[in-house]
Every structure is written in C-alpha cells, then in structure tokens.
Amino acid sequence: MSSIKIECVLRENCRCGESPVWEEASNSLLFVDIPAKKVCRWDSLSKRVQQVTVEAPVSSVALRQGGGYVATIGTKFCALNWEDRSAVALATVDKDKKNNRFNDGKVDPAGRYFAGTMAEETAPAVLERHQGSLYSLFPDHHVEKYFDQVDISNGLDWSLDHKIFYYIDSLSYSVDAFDYDLQTGKISNRRSVYKLEKEEQIPDGMCIDTEGKLWVACYNGGRVIRLDPETGKRLQTVKLPVVKTTSCCFGGKDYSEMYVTCARDGMDPEGLLQQPEAGGIFKITGLGVKGIPPYPYAG
C-alpha cells in the first residue's frame, strides 16, 4: 500500500474540527469547529472556506434534502440556512441537563438525523460521566430517545444493507453494533464488534466504505483504522502527522478520497510546534477503497 498519500489540504487551526461531510453538488467539504461555534464549507476547487458562526458549540452538520443543512447546536437540532447565515431550532433535548451539549451526529438511510449528547468537558475527554443520551430527529421533527448513560456520544454509521447501526461511546473504547429497523428507526441487541488497543487510544468519528468495513478516527492516537465488523479484526492502520484525529469521511471524485478532521485544544505549545498542521483538514488518497454518499435529512 505504498501509494497512500496524506496531505493537509486546509491549514484551518480548528480548536476541535469534527463532522466532515462531502457535498457533491458543490464539490465541498463541510465540517464544524465545535468550541469555536463555526460551521465551515471548504470548496475543493477554489480552495476557499466559507464560515457560519452560530450561538453555541456546533458538533455536527448534515445535508438537507430540500437544500441547506441541518446541524446540532448546543442541545438543539437546527436547520441551517447558508445564504442568510441563520440557524432555526427544530427540536431541543436534555432540557434538564444544563451542562450538556450534542456531540457527533449523522443522517440514517431513511433521512432521520441521529445524534447523541455528552456533558461539557472540563478538558478534552475529561467530563462528568454517564450524562449523555442518543437521539434521532425524525423527518416530521419529532425526537426519539434511544438510551442514556452515555459518556461521549460519538461516531455512527449504518451497514450497507441497512440492517445494522454502528455506534461509538468513546470512553467505552469499543465500536458497538445494534440491529436496526430502517422502517421504524428502532435499534436493539447492542453488542461490541471491536475493542480498541491501547495505542489506538480513544475511538471518535467513524464512516463505512463500499466493502462494508468501518473506518474509525482515533483521538490521541493520530490515526484512522479500518475494521471488519463481522470478524472484529483490524485490517489497516493509517497514521497521520497529527495526534488528535477526530473524524473521517469519504468524498471527492467517486468518493475515493478520505477527509480527516482533527483538534488543537488540549495540546501544549511544544506539541503545537511539533505538529504545525494540528487542527487542519487532511486528505488521504490511494486507499484503494471508496465510500458512499452521505444521506440527507428528509425533513
């Protein structure tokens, strides 16, 4: 696999870059910087970045079927209008937990927006435990709660046959699977499909490729790993020149490129000197696998 190439395509200095999503229509990569309260759109052709600043930490962004975007901002599912830079709340969760915010989110194959919450961190990955829950926003804007007692709700995706939902609660150091009902959005029968090795550190964002294998960004591990959820084996490790890798998605031509976000928060001055690209957006080419287009929110 000597043809793998890793480049920093955008020196963005994100405090905590997250939720990369490819928008084919504009040849752009969407992503967020959570504590900076910014949603960004990087045009891969012009190399320009546009930003919308919102009123609370923004942890995920997704495409919307009718145009525009949806995002998780604070504890709200919001509709995001790029033209007038406005965010309108569609639903609010965790109203009894003043210290909570959303974390990672993604749209399922039926157009529901799944996202989970966590307590605000006092330092990266340091927080009050078991305060989060997993939710989804249905196309009619009603919200369902799946379970609580979550530490850091993180990466999520669905199997290619739409029968399995994959999910990461970071501090369990595990990638989990659920049986998934596309019709109802219900999940059941939770089990672990992969336990992270010590040097892989904390599992964060995740995406699936066209072979049904999972790619997981390892926070503090400086890598993305490719897993076979059926055998529980790690198939591949791709190391990056930054340690706080947060999430990954496929995009670009034929979804054959991988984009990886990362963070700077929690790094000391020496670490930042050694990793000048920390907080940037990375592109990995030559992996030899492709991803699938993101699903748009149907509401």
Side-chain angles (χ1 to χ4, degrees), residues 48-66:
R48 282 202 194 90
V49 186
Q50 293 178 307
Q51 298 176 341
V52 170
T53 303
V54 294
E55 64 192 21
V58 53
S59 60
S60 74
V61 62
L63 310 179
R64 195 175 183 186
Q65 213 164 357

Side-chain angles (χ1 to χ4, degrees), residues 12-19 30-41 49-61 71-73 80 82:
E12 186 59 23
N13 288 349
C14 288
R15 289 180 56 194
C16 184
E18 260 285 1
S19 186
L30 293 155
F31 61 95
V32 301
D33 184 346
I34 301 178
K37 306 177 183 174
K38 287 195 301 205
V39 183
C40 306
R41 186 171 71 185
V49 186
Q50 293 178 307
Q51 298 176 341
V52 170
T53 303
V54 294
E55 64 192 21
V58 53
S59 60
S60 74
V61 62
T72 48
I73 301 172
L80 189 63
W82 201 258

Side-chain angles (χ1 to χ4, degrees), residues 141-250:
H141 298 180
H142 92 272
V143 171
E144 300 227 349
K145 177 175 169 178
Y146 293 104
F147 49 80
D148 51 22
Q149 297 292 309
V150 174
D151 286 323
I152 302 179
S153 190
N154 236 321
L156 48 182
D157 218 329
W158 291 264
S159 62
L160 302 179
D161 65 4
H162 305 163
K163 288 182 176 160
I164 302 172
F165 166 58
Y166 298 109
Y167 174 72
I168 291 169
D169 178 352
S170 287
L171 297 188
S172 69
Y173 298 92
S174 172
V175 179
D176 290 355
F178 296 79
D179 297 339
Y180 165 74
D181 185 328
L182 182 66
Q183 264 29 70
T184 62
K186 296 240 180 306
I187 60 175
S188 57
N189 184 26
R190 186 174 190 167
R191 62 235 181 234
S192 173
V193 293
Y194 183 80
K195 284 277 190 204
L196 274 84
E197 310 274 339
K198 194 166 171 39
E199 75 275 5
E200 289 167 351
Q201 296 284 341
I202 303 172
D204 201 328
M206 169 168 62
C207 66
I208 198 163
D209 64 30
T210 55
E211 294 171 15
K213 307 299 189 276
L214 300 173
W215 292 82
V216 178
C218 299
Y219 184 82
N220 284 343
R223 66 191 71 190
V224 290
I225 55 175
R226 187 183 192 224
L227 314 174
D228 185 337
E230 289 180 12
T231 64
K233 296 254 189 301
R234 181 182 68 237
L235 305 172
Q236 194 176 348
T237 299
V238 180
K239 293 192 177 172
L240 286 94
V242 289
V243 72
K244 293 188 179 293
T245 35
T246 54
S247 193
C248 51
C249 78
F250 285 94

